[in-house]
Amino acid sequence: MVRNTHPEEPGYTRSDGFSHLGLPEPETFVDGMRIGGLCHGDTKTPEGRAVQFCTKTYAHEFQPGTTRIYLWASSDANIDKPPGSH
């Protein structure tokens, strides 16, 4: 594990994108962008049915020979708070 050098700002929510890290949002790129992902039910295997979060993968070649990988996991499921937290 490494130290978090980009802590979230006050008011951060998990739906915030990559801009809070000083990175452009991957959806804004056209050139050099590859997109993939996996969601529940995308495959017919037991592993595919066990996926609880949608995961999107973006690969952007922002300089020749240099690619930045973005990973984004999301879920429409409700997230319950642990007992005793409010």
Side-chain angles (χ1 to χ4, degrees):
M1 302 289 293
V2 296
R3 185 173 176 268
N4 181 9
T5 58
H6 298 285
E8 287 85 6
E9 297 292 324
Y12 168 81
T13 66
R14 66 185 194 141
S15 63
D16 287 348
F18 295 94
S19 60
H20 75 284
L21 298 173
L23 298 172
E25 297 299 329
E27 294 89 350
T28 64
F29 294 110
V30 176
D31 295 329
M33 177 58 76
R34 300 278 189 222
I35 300 172
L38 178 68
C39 284
H40 177 77
D42 282 352
T43 67
K44 304 299 181 204
T45 66
E47 295 82 9
R49 289 189 293 272
V51 172
Q52 295 181 9
F53 296 94
C54 288
T55 303
K56 295 180 182 177
T57 306
Y58 303 89
H60 180 239
E61 185 178 28
F62 64 95
Q63 294 176 354
T66 305
T67 302
R68 180 178 287 140
I69 304 295
Y70 294 82
L71 297 175
W72 179 261
S74 63
S75 172
D76 293 333
N78 292 329
I79 297 179
D80 297 326
K81 291 183 179 180
S85 66
H86 296 272

